[in-house]
Amino acid sequence: MTEKKLSRRTFLANSALAAGATALATAGMTGFASAAGLTVGFIYVGPKDDFGYNQSHAEGAAAVKEMAGVTVIEEENVPETVDVQNTMESMINFDGAKLLFPTSFGYFSPHIQEVAPKHEDVRFQHAGGLWNSETDPKNVGSYFGYISMGQYLNGIVAGHASKSKKIGFVAAKPIPQVLQNINTFLLGARQVDPTITCQVIFTGEWSLAVKEAEATNALIDQGCDVITCHVDGPKVVVETAAGRGAYVCGYHANQSPLAPEQYLTGAEWNWAAIYTSMVKTVQDGGTIDNFVRGGLAEGFIKMSPLGPSVSDAARAQFETVKAEIMKGGFAAYKGPLKDNNGNVILNEGESFVETDVALESMNYLVEGVIGSIG
Amino acid sequence: MSGMAATDTLSKSALSLKVIIPKLEAVAIPLFAVIFGFAVFSLFLIVIGKSPSDFFSLVYKAGFSTGFSWQNTLSRAAPLLLAALCVALPAKLGLVVIGGEGAIALGGLTAGALGPHLSSLPYPVSLPILFIASAMVGGAWIGTVGLLRIKRGVNETIASLLMAYIAIALMNHFIESVFRDPASLNKPSTLPFAEAMRIGDMPIGISVHWGLFAGIIACILSWILIEKTTLGFAARIAGSNIRAAQVQGLPVGKLVIGFTALGGAFAGIAGFYEVAAVHGSANASLIAGYGYTGILIAFLARHNALAIIPVTILLAGFEASSGLIQRRMDLPDATILVFEGMVFVAILLSETLYGRFKIFSTNYWSKIS
């Protein structure tokens, strides 16, 4: 018996050895047949089908794939460590990539700053708006969009949909970008009814499904009947909220397939438009500006189509405000405005327009938001 | 005459075979297990319509073929060597400690929090201070796991895992509050290190920081400690039979605390290098799963500190190839994890094979000669 087993195992081992040997023999021959033209690399911190941040970038990559003369290479689930440095260099060394989109905020410092100076003929485009003209390499570009305006529009639709006058926000971390989204969501809703409050729960992590589900349930238990979020992948929040019968507003990408009836609208990145235009610029031999930003008007963000539950009144106000924002220079923050501890943010007559740099160091929740960042 | 000479040579060679072949068991069985794992994974690839030879050639290409491949592999290896020791050292005492991630987080936090305040000192002074501080914090954290085990009988596996969650929560809390660099708006981090205090690359022509060197030295020292010192001998006795060790009067409690603390210190040092050599400040990116990969490596190396070195390099090479596999073969990133999992299971199963093959027994060769 033992002998027989052994021989079967030996056989398997031998066949594996043979496979290994063949593999080594062909190692030199499987070079990547990159089509003539531009090779563009996209790097994501999470899965590219997360119904969220990473998917929004992957949709941009998919649009670039359709362009003539471009080869797109992608890698998902790349941590913000030495791993991403290696991934960037691997795309350059093995695939001949000349344009890279490392899309996670945390890829910039120190990783892109470390790799870019070693490859001056490669262009690095980073989502996040961190590029500093004095200290950062010239072959690095930075771009970002004013997506909190999308949360403002979400808020308007949510304000109409809410019966309890309580809306909820599942947030990752209390950083300025997230705080802006929470605040504009409530400010939008208060355009409909100034008594509306927004409860926020921070999960502490960008991607932590269990806590996101718990937070969503807790918000609904508190009486919130419209939920939105700012986490990397809103899938769990959207499905949990819809399962409990609450309405949802999306974020990052279009989540309506997850909750066709309950989905009101959503603030989406429009990377397809931005990426194709950036790739076109490089193909034409031009240079992308090192620092690019834009909002709804510039095509950086877009709104999901309004869902079947959106009322006519909501639709009308949504379209009116959207048209205002499309003109540019819209101010969601108007005085008099206090934070939720009673400190004055803006006096009568003052305001922050969407491009105001003061918004980028936001460290407060506006009056009407129930929650704390401390 | 010639006949006698031939017999003489034969018996000599038989004698050397008698010594060498039984020792080969420790190499042959894991090697067989790895190859078996490769074979099972190849079948898996064939079933989903992908070519195993493409797969293995890409692993070779991305992990081990060019200078850059080696850079990719070795730069991943540095924290893994140290994280694996955090598992392997307590394992010598029969303890399964799986919370090295927590010691890495706190070691990194310590370096990140202290580092910017030491920038007035010359770096040959400040870096060793940080190195020791990170080691002490990591050591205290995992040493506590050993202490709980000895004093309160708390299961070290559960304790270390739960304490890792606490450590990560503490790290995030401190990075987002007292130690936060006010300029780090959207990615809370500690104050950045001064450029002079950043640890650079080793002079080997590829971009790999000194953490790799520290990891290799740590493995060698751990091997000497375990195999060549009375302390290591006592630990091995306690690991194989704790009662016998106690009856013999060995200080089991001190050994447990000492070995867990030493393992934790190595993990803390991994955190130090991640901050001082890679990130330049402590932030949430420190939590990259090195502590958990370290568990896999320590088990694959059968808790042998020297074997950790080649196993780490092999595993790091596999992980280095993950990207190319995704891009060229259109497979998901989890492919490499599945592959590693199959090899891991094969190695664990192969544990039952030891002592089963006559060819590796000394008796077999004694009879022949």
Side-chain angles (χ1 to χ4, degrees):
Chain A
M1 253 337 257
T2 319
E3 283 304 309
K4 198 175 170 193
K5 264 189 199 160
L6 186 65
S7 68
R8 198 187 305 145
R9 284 171 189 170
T10 321
F11 168 74
L12 275 178
N14 284 340
S15 20
L17 265 181
T22 328
L24 286 181
T26 52
M29 297 185 280
T30 46
F32 193 50
S34 162
L38 181 66
T39 300
V40 186
F42 288 87
I43 307 171
Y44 317 110
V45 74
K48 59 186 181 188
D49 54 356
D50 65 352
F51 280 97
Y53 186 79
N54 297 294
Q55 180 169 321
S56 75
H57 290 286
E59 284 168 4
V64 174
K65 256 181 217 169
E66 301 296 315
M67 299 171 72
V70 180
T71 306
V72 169
I73 50 175
E74 298 176 274
E75 205 173 312
E76 59 182 348
N77 287 324
V78 179
E80 295 164 351
T81 60
V82 74
D83 287 23
V84 69
Q85 299 185 19
N86 284 320
T87 290
M88 289 187 278
E89 291 209 63
S90 171
M91 286 179 164
I92 296 164
N93 290 337
F94 288 134
D95 299 331
K98 286 281 177 266
L99 174 60
L100 290 179
F101 290 91
T103 58
S104 182
F105 192 84
Y107 288 160
F108 192 79
S109 173
H111 310 300
I112 290 175
Q113 291 168 326
E114 195 95 355
V115 175
K118 295 182 199 165
H119 302 278
E120 284 181 354
D121 57 332
V122 178
R123 176 71 185 202
F124 297 75
Q125 284 295 100
H126 178 253
L130 291 168
W131 188 76
N132 180 325
S133 59
E134 283 163 23
T135 52
D136 287 323
K138 297 283 175 271
N139 56 332
V140 176
S142 202
Y143 56 90
F144 215 59
Y146 304 114
I147 198 168
S148 68
M149 290 299 120
Q151 282 290 12
Y152 188 77
L153 290 167
N154 273 350
I156 287 173
V157 180
H160 282 280
S162 176
K163 294 192 175 61
S164 65
K165 300 299 166 198
K166 285 169 91 173
I167 56 180
F169 200 112
V170 180
K173 288 175 185 263
I175 60 167
Q177 273 173 24
V178 178
L179 299 177
Q180 279 196 58
N181 283 328
I182 300 167
N183 290 336
T184 51
F185 183 57
L186 176 76
L187 291 173
R190 287 202 157 185
Q191 293 298 304
V192 180
D193 182 342
T195 65
I196 291 177
T197 57
C198 175
Q199 183 144 16
V200 59
I201 297 180
F202 293 98
T203 64
E205 294 290 339
W206 288 108
S207 186
L208 200 60
V210 175
K211 271 200 177 176
E212 288 159 17
E214 282 172 358
T216 311
N217 277 318
L219 289 170
I220 294 169
D221 291 342
Q222 301 274 322
C224 300
D225 58 358
V226 187
I227 307 290
T228 191
C229 63
H230 184 170
V231 294
D232 268 359
K235 184 170 189 248
V236 171
V237 172
V238 170
E239 288 185 333
T240 310
R244 290 284 305 268
Y247 291 115
V248 281
C249 292
Y251 189 67
H252 283 319
N254 186 351
Q255 289 101 26
S256 63
L258 299 172
E261 292 300 316
Q262 247 78 10
Y263 192 82
L264 299 174
T265 182
E268 295 179 39
W269 298 105
N270 190 19
W271 297 131
I274 304 304
Y275 289 169
T276 47
S277 90
M278 285 177 174
V279 171
K280 187 89 183 43
T281 306
V282 173
Q283 272 182 321
D284 294 347
T287 314
I288 310 168
D289 290 337
N290 291 95
F291 198 85
V292 195
R293 283 181 183 207
L296 212 58
E298 293 81 11
F300 274 67
I301 64 167
K302 61 181 178 184
M303 298 303 293
S304 315
L306 294 174
S309 312
V310 177
S311 67
D312 289 341
R315 193 176 294 267
Q317 192 175 358
F318 174 90
E319 294 298 347
T320 313
V321 176
K322 189 177 164 196
E324 280 293 309
I325 296 174
M326 291 297 278
K327 289 181 194 159
F330 186 83
Y333 297 83
K334 291 195 202 81
L337 185 69
K338 287 181 179 169
D339 71 14
N340 66 358
N341 294 321
N343 302 314
V344 175
I345 305 295
L346 289 169
N347 290 311
E348 183 71 47
E350 294 176 336
S351 66
F352 292 139
V353 294
E354 67 174 357
T355 52
D356 202 315
V357 286
L359 296 172
E360 291 174 23
S361 51
M362 184 173 283
N363 59 357
Y364 51 83
L365 293 164
V366 298
E367 189 176 13
V369 177
I370 303 165
S372 125
I373 54 176
Chain B
M1 278 298 281
S2 66
M4 270 183 72
T7 326
D8 205 37
T9 327
L10 187 70
S11 68
K12 253 190 197 164
S13 65
L15 186 72
S16 53
L17 283 177
K18 183 175 137 188
V19 177
I20 295 166
I21 293 198
K23 291 201 173 177
L24 283 180
E25 186 181 33
V27 179
I29 291 182
L31 195 67
F32 164 73
V34 167
I35 291 168
F36 181 73
F38 283 17
V40 176
F41 185 73
S42 302
L43 287 178
F44 172 79
L45 286 176
I46 290 166
V47 167
I48 60 169
K50 301 283 177 180
S51 150
S53 70
D54 278 0
F55 177 84
F56 288 106
S57 62
L58 285 175
V59 169
Y60 170 74
K61 178 173 179 168
F64 308 102
S65 63
T66 64
F68 167 70
S69 310
W70 278 104
Q71 171 187 320
N72 195 342
T73 297
L74 294 178
S75 62
R76 288 165 200 263
L80 297 177
L81 289 166
L82 293 159
L85 285 174
C86 186
V87 183
L89 286 171
K92 287 293 161 193
L93 284 142
L95 302 177
V96 182
V97 169
I98 59 172
E101 191 84 356
I104 295 175
L106 292 181
L109 173 68
T110 308
L114 284 182
H117 301 291
L118 301 181
S119 46
S120 55
L121 298 172
Y123 73 90
V125 180
S126 59
L127 284 178
I129 292 177
L130 289 182
F131 181 93
I132 292 166
S134 298
M136 281 171 65
V137 170
W141 195 254
I142 302 295
T144 306
V145 172
L147 189 74
L148 285 170
R149 170 79 211 200
I150 288 301
K151 297 288 178 198
R152 286 280 171 268
V154 179
N155 179 300
E156 78 285 354
T157 312
I158 307 290
S160 64
L161 181 64
L162 295 183
M163 280 176 67
Y165 292 127
I166 298 173
I168 292 166
L170 283 175
M171 186 198 87
N172 280 328
H173 171 73
F174 283 116
I175 285 172
E176 286 168 19
S177 57
V178 281
F179 298 133
R180 180 172 184 169
D181 170 10
S184 64
L185 289 174
N186 283 315
K187 187 176 183 190
S189 306
T190 57
L191 289 162
F193 272 42
E195 206 46 51
M197 270 181 74
R198 294 290 297 277
I199 294 175
D201 292 340
M202 294 195 285
I204 52 173
I206 52 177
S207 173
V208 178
H209 65 76
W210 282 95
L212 179 75
F213 178 74
I216 291 173
I217 295 295
C219 286
I220 295 170
L221 290 178
S222 299
W223 184 83
I224 294 171
L225 169 72
I226 291 160
E227 303 294 334
K228 302 290 172 197
T229 67
T230 48
L231 215 57
F233 182 67
R236 281 182 286 144
I237 300 284
S240 43
N241 189 334
I242 194 158
R243 284 291 156 90
Q246 280 165 335
V247 169
Q248 290 297 319
L250 291 176
V252 174
K254 284 182 185 163
L255 284 170
V256 165
I257 295 169
F259 271 68
T260 46
L262 185 61
F266 286 137
I269 291 167
F272 160 78
Y273 278 104
E274 282 303 293
V275 168
V278 178
H279 295 286
S281 67
N283 55 51
S285 300
L286 280 176
I287 310 304
Y290 296 131
Y292 302 115
T293 310
I295 304 168
L296 180 65
I297 292 168
F299 274 84
L300 288 178
R302 305 185 78 232
H303 307 306
N304 178 324
L306 273 190
I308 284 176
I309 300 171
V311 172
T312 302
I313 291 172
L314 190 67
L315 219 67
F318 290 166
E319 301 209 339
S321 66
S322 172
L324 212 55
I325 303 282
Q326 279 187 54
R327 283 159 11 220
R328 299 285 170 84
M329 294 183 72
D330 200 23
L331 285 166
D333 79 297
T335 311
I336 285 292
L337 288 180
V338 173
F339 175 55
E340 286 173 5
M342 285 181 177
V343 173
F344 186 52
V345 169
I347 296 253
L348 289 185
L349 289 176
S350 74
E351 296 271 320
T352 62
L353 296 180
Y354 287 89
R356 290 215 180 180
F357 299 105
K358 279 185 195 154
I359 194 170
F360 292 128
S361 78
T362 324
N363 281 342
Y364 179 81
W365 292 99
S366 306
K367 275 179 204 158
I368 287 184
S369 59

